[in-house]
Structure formats: structure tokens, C-alpha cells
Amino acid sequence: MMNKQKVWFLTLFSLILMLSVYYITMPNEILASANTTNKKTTTIKANTKVNSKSSDYITALQVEKDEERSALAAEYNEVLTNNSSTTEEKNNAYEGLKQIDEIKAKEESLKKKIKKKMRLDSFIKIENDNINVVIKKDEHDYSLANEVMRLIQEEYTEKVYVSVKFKK
């Protein structure tokens, strides 16, 4: 004879087991549509930020860069969740996502370094060996631009091309 505690345990365990099997066997189309829905809400939020702070040039650049990277990450995620993708395509997509994260981390560390050492707000975008820096300052100062270039070059062992712009 089974007592109530055993019956409840078996009932809950079988329910959890059924839900996990359903989740595992769920078609990828449902997951892909969920990713698309998340992408749409991100775009809507990003557009709201642009409209509310359109006067801030650095914020607008940051939002634009984030949208580009989000779209690229969504493409990589689509390749990863697609059943017809080859292993090589999935590996390339995974490496692409990893590279996006590394670039974001590097940009953020450079931005913090400029903020800490020079007390300046900045926008940084890394593309291959080109680094574009926008400094939030009224005056165009060549010596400050040189300092920023040296500060960024310290982080790299190989030669990178740094361009510095000043915007209000």
C-alpha cells in the first residue's frame, strides 16, 4: 500500500519528466520564433533610447553599434539552431559569437581606462585592427588625441590604427 507522500512524489516526478522530454523534443521553429520576438523587443527598446536622447552623439553611436552587433549575433544564433546547418557552419557561428563578446569586452575595458585615467566620456568601436574613438569634448586637442592613442596602443602588442574624434 502506497501512502500519500509517495503518490505525490511519483506524480510530481512524472510531471517534471514529461515536461523535460517535451522541451527536449520541441521543434526548433518555436525556439527560433522566440529568438525573433526577443530581437524585435530589443530593437524597439533601442529605438526608444535614440528618441529620448537624440542630442547625445555618443549614445546614438553606441545604440547603432549595439543594433549591428545584435543583428549579427541573431544571424549566428539562427545558424546554430538550424538543423540543416553543417558542423563547420555551426563552429564558425560559435566562433563569431565568441569574437563579438571578446570585442565588446575589449571596447568596454578601453572605455573604462580612458574614463579612469583621463576623466573623459568616450565611444570606442573596434573593427579588425582599426579602433575608432569619439571623445565627448568641445575642443579639438591634438596632445589629448595623442595621449588617447598611446593609452590604447599600450593594450596591444601589435600595431593598431587608432583614430580619435572630438564631439560635443
Side-chain angles (χ1 to χ4, degrees):
M1 180 114 183
M2 296 181 82
N3 60 12
K4 287 183 181 181
Q5 190 176 16
K6 289 180 184 178
V7 170
W8 276 108
F9 174 75
L10 289 174
T11 305
L12 291 175
F13 180 73
S14 61
L15 180 64
I16 291 171
L17 184 65
M18 285 179 17
L19 288 174
S20 61
V21 168
Y22 174 74
Y23 179 74
I24 291 171
T25 60
M26 187 171 30
N28 283 339
E29 291 81 29
I30 295 173
L31 294 174
S33 67
N35 286 340
T36 307
T37 305
N38 288 341
K39 180 182 170 189
K40 287 179 184 175
T41 45
T42 304
T43 305
I44 291 169
K45 288 178 184 176
N47 288 340
T48 306
K49 287 181 184 176
V50 170
N51 291 336
S52 66
K53 295 184 176 181
S54 61
S55 64
D56 194 1
Y57 184 73
I58 291 178
T59 305
L61 288 173
Q62 186 68 37
V63 169
E64 183 181 334
K65 179 179 72 171
D66 289 345
E67 285 178 355
E68 289 173 6
R69 296 231 172 106
S70 294
L72 189 59
E75 289 176 21
Y76 287 145
N77 281 327
E78 192 173 309
V79 170
L80 286 173
T81 58
N82 191 354
N83 286 337
S84 63
S85 297
T86 65
T87 306
E88 185 178 337
E89 290 173 337
K90 288 184 179 185
N91 285 338
N92 291 339
Y94 177 74
E95 290 298 321
L97 284 173
K98 219 165 80 170
Q99 185 180 18
I100 288 173
D101 288 339
E102 290 170 359
I103 289 172
K104 280 182 184 179
K106 191 65 172 175
E107 287 172 345
E108 197 62 35
S109 71
L110 290 173
K111 189 175 178 179
K112 285 180 183 177
K113 191 172 184 178
I114 291 172
K115 182 70 171 178
K116 182 180 177 184
K117 293 202 175 186
M118 299 184 170
R119 294 185 183 103
L120 295 170
D121 289 331
S122 63
F123 165 78
I124 298 175
K125 185 173 184 178
I126 299 174
E127 296 173 344
N128 301 326
D129 61 346
N130 295 328
I131 300 175
N132 299 317
V133 181
V134 177
I135 303 291
K136 187 176 183 179
K137 191 170 180 181
D138 295 338
E139 302 168 4
H140 297 266
D141 187 6
Y142 294 110
S143 62
L144 181 62
N146 274 335
E147 287 180 42
V148 170
M149 288 179 188
R150 283 191 204 110
L151 188 69
I152 290 174
Q153 187 62 48
E154 288 174 0
E155 294 292 315
Y156 293 92
T157 55
E158 71 280 350
K159 177 75 174 158
V160 292
Y161 300 99
V162 181
S163 66
V164 179
K165 295 180 184 177
F166 294 95
K167 293 285 184 175
K168 183 175 181 181

